[in-house]
Amino acid sequence: MEGLRALITHLWCVWVFLILSLGDAKVRHYNFNVEYFFKSVDCVESLVMGINGQFPGPTIRAEVGDTIQVAVTNKLSTEGTAIHWHGIRQYGTPWADGTVYVTQCPINPGETFHYKFKLDKAGTFFYHGHNALQITGGLYGSIIVDLPKGEKEPFEYDDEINLLLSDWWHKSIQEQEVGLTAHFENFRWVWEAQSILINGRGQFGCSLGANFINHTLPVCQFKGDEDCAPYILSVLPNKTYRIRIASVTSLLSLNLAISNHKMVVVESDGHYVEPFTVDKIDIYSGESYSVLLTTDQNPNQNYWISVGHRDDNVSTTPALTLLNYQNISDSILPSFPPPVTPPWYDVEERKVFSRKVVALKGTPQPPKYSQRRIVLIGMQDVIDGYLKWSMNGISLELPTTPYLGSMKFNIKNAFDWQDPPENYPEDYDIYNPTTYHNSTVSNMVYKFEMNQVVDVILQNCNSYALNSTGFHPWHLHGHDFWVLAYGDGKFKDGDEKLFNLENPPLKNSVVVFPYSWTAIRFRADNPGVWLFHCHMEPHFHTGMGVVFAEGVQYVKGIPEQALACGLTAEMLMNKGDSQSIIKNI
């Protein structure tokens, strides 16, 4: 009965999507030239990776049902690239997910890759580079998807503001990558970011709030036309604004607060949530939120907007800008201190916020039972002399032939076809890991049956190599999932009683707290190959991720561009008439 109900629900969603696609849907064309240029994003000039000379890249704004076509041309001289459309599920277009060596070959210098995909839900999303550390270098931008004309949000507002939050280093991404991938004796961590950016603007070496913060930085002085001049949020009194907030940080978890104003959280990762009011909002890399802010305070003064980090042993100065009531000049700083970011060790407050995020009434509920459970424990280890992250003892190293093509054509020597472990040893001590010191590097894939309901338990523990733990934001490509529970300690049989099956939020990114576990549930209903990984770039780059696959045999229309490397390129060359092959893909 459960399976029949799930099938009917799935068919209904497909039917609704097709109907929406027939109305006023448009095809929207974009040309993206990925290139380096100099810019003083935080008042220090450095190389930025941007698009069409813009940083952040151009905002894509469209409606549900629209088709997006983006011609991405690589104008970098020495490295390949690809762009991932974060939060877009890519139903029917898995090759457009933009993940190098998972769904496509890298776009080589001078080449153009044509992405084409349909938008199936409204919300706040973004795009970013998904090769090497290019997200760290600045390759990102916003995606905003509106409801079709005539449909209304379940909340009202007068206007909206878009905020894209990121972190910024003065050390080049090439230098960072060499340090991360060096032999253990020469390993160099990226350490803390120099700045936090709001819409690509930050300040290093000065602070707008220097008179109130106990440090030696001078007060920033701006004419207003500098690259690093703060992005001011100008508002009118007695209005309600929807503020879309997305975090594309490489490392930092952030906390945003607006002095003297409350925020009502109404959306997370493209799904409506039961509204709740907060003074500040926690946001981890890969997450997005919409909050409603009512401008009901004294209109004759400005108010601080503070974005600080919530990370241990990090000295990065909070980003500050102003909420400017247009009655007064935006050059007048508030006469009171900016909000203070809660300390990193206040884990309980962070958990309270995450648990407040529940689905709006009417949101699809999860299936009552799962058909498969995978428990993934993340740990750090030295493997063959290199410091790596691993999941259940497997450190992910992507193959040189994209999974999507090699699985579609059953190329046996493209990657390790063995099934990866679905749990870790029962006697493993998450607080004192002295066992299970045997991680290996591999590129195995978790293979699911179509429409299989899968539970994943993400288990956090102490790191064997560094004797510490932290917060890990995990992002799933190609799917949304229900967040069933956040639990303390080690997940054990019987903890299923903690699962929320009534109103769990649907998300595509979720945090795992220190010495804790997070349970998610999703349906493997999207033919393709999909990454599931920590969205902290240095962690993913050193192995903290896994690969899921389902229904690859049903994938059609893979463009030749996505196959033109590794063993799939050899296959096409050996076959001779590649066009006839592509037609049958």
Side-chain angles (χ1 to χ4, degrees), residues 108-403:
N108 291 322
E111 293 181 348
T112 300
F113 190 94
H114 296 272
Y115 292 96
K116 181 180 179 180
F117 52 89
K118 189 162 285 189
L119 302 173
D120 72 318
K121 70 178 188 297
T124 306
F125 311 103
F126 55 90
Y127 61 84
H128 62 83
H130 220 298
N131 188 36
L133 299 181
Q134 291 180 351
I135 185 175
T136 308
L139 185 52
Y140 45 76
S142 294
I143 303 174
I144 298 175
V145 185
D146 295 310
L147 289 170
K149 287 181 177 60
E151 292 192 26
K152 290 187 176 181
E153 308 274 6
F155 44 83
E156 294 185 355
Y157 54 97
D158 299 299
D159 205 348
E160 68 176 53
I161 299 169
N162 188 42
L163 296 183
L164 192 63
L165 310 179
S166 54
D167 41 17
W168 188 252
W169 280 258
H170 294 163
K171 185 187 297 183
S172 73
I173 59 175
Q174 289 79 15
E175 187 177 349
Q176 290 186 49
E177 184 172 17
V178 169
L180 289 170
T181 56
H183 195 272
F184 185 60
E185 60 190 18
N186 295 314
F187 177 87
R188 297 185 183 184
W189 180 241
V190 299
W191 296 113
E192 63 257 35
Q194 274 64 64
S195 306
I196 297 170
L197 308 183
I198 301 174
N199 286 353
R201 295 165 175 258
Q203 294 81 46
F204 178 80
C206 69
S207 172
L208 291 177
N211 290 335
F212 303 102
I213 301 173
N214 184 23
H215 55 52
T216 59
L217 293 177
V219 177
C220 297
Q221 302 291 334
F222 294 108
K223 294 181 296 181
D225 58 352
E226 299 90 345
D227 289 341
C228 58
Y231 177 86
I232 305 294
L233 280 68
S234 293
V235 296
L236 295 171
N238 301 311
K239 300 290 184 181
T240 297
Y241 289 83
R242 177 184 188 170
I243 304 180
R244 298 177 182 267
I245 309 165
S247 174
V248 68
T249 58
S250 292
L251 193 62
L252 296 182
S253 53
L254 301 177
N255 182 268
L256 181 146
I258 303 175
S259 54
N260 294 39
H261 290 75
K262 301 284 188 180
M263 293 176 284
V264 180
V265 181
V266 293
E267 178 216 347
S268 178
D269 291 358
H271 292 278
Y272 302 127
V273 300
E274 286 291 344
F276 64 98
T277 302
V278 293
D279 296 310
K280 56 184 72 73
I281 180 172
D282 285 327
I283 184 167
Y284 301 90
S285 178
E287 287 189 314
S288 65
Y289 287 95
S290 282
V291 300
L292 301 181
L293 177 137
T294 300
T295 53
D296 55 2
Q297 299 299 302
N298 180 356
N300 296 312
Q301 64 181 33
N302 291 320
Y303 299 87
W304 292 112
I305 297 175
S306 175
V307 181
H309 68 82
R310 301 205 67 184
D311 296 274
D312 185 17
N313 296 325
V314 174
S315 60
T316 309
T317 303
L320 292 175
T321 188
L322 298 181
L323 183 73
N324 165 235
Y325 282 68
Q326 295 178 19
N327 295 43
I328 64 171
S329 169
D330 61 14
S331 64
I332 300 175
L333 296 179
S335 59
F336 45 84
V340 177
T341 304
W344 71 270
Y345 51 80
D346 188 358
V347 180
E348 288 308 312
E349 182 177 333
R350 297 168 83 152
K351 290 180 179 179
V352 167
F353 176 83
S354 293
R355 287 173 174 145
K356 284 182 178 179
V357 181
V358 298
L360 184 68
K361 186 176 181 180
T363 300
Q365 293 179 307
K368 290 186 178 180
Y369 304 100
S370 65
Q371 297 160 310
R372 188 169 172 186
R373 174 183 293 168
I374 297 172
V375 182
L376 296 172
I377 191 167
M379 62 172 296
Q380 204 169 30
D381 205 350
V382 177
I383 306 174
D384 298 328
Y386 294 88
L387 188 62
K388 299 280 189 179
W389 281 98
S390 67
M391 304 305 297
N392 292 0
I394 304 296
S395 181
L396 179 63
E397 186 172 271
L398 298 175
T400 54
T401 301
Y403 289 105

Side-chain angles (χ1 to χ4, degrees), residues 453-472:
V453 179
V454 181
D455 281 358
V456 178
I457 312 297
L458 290 163
Q459 177 71 62
N460 205 343
C461 71
N462 211 21
S463 165
Y464 182 90
L466 299 182
N467 192 32
S468 64
T469 187
F471 300 80
H472 296 284

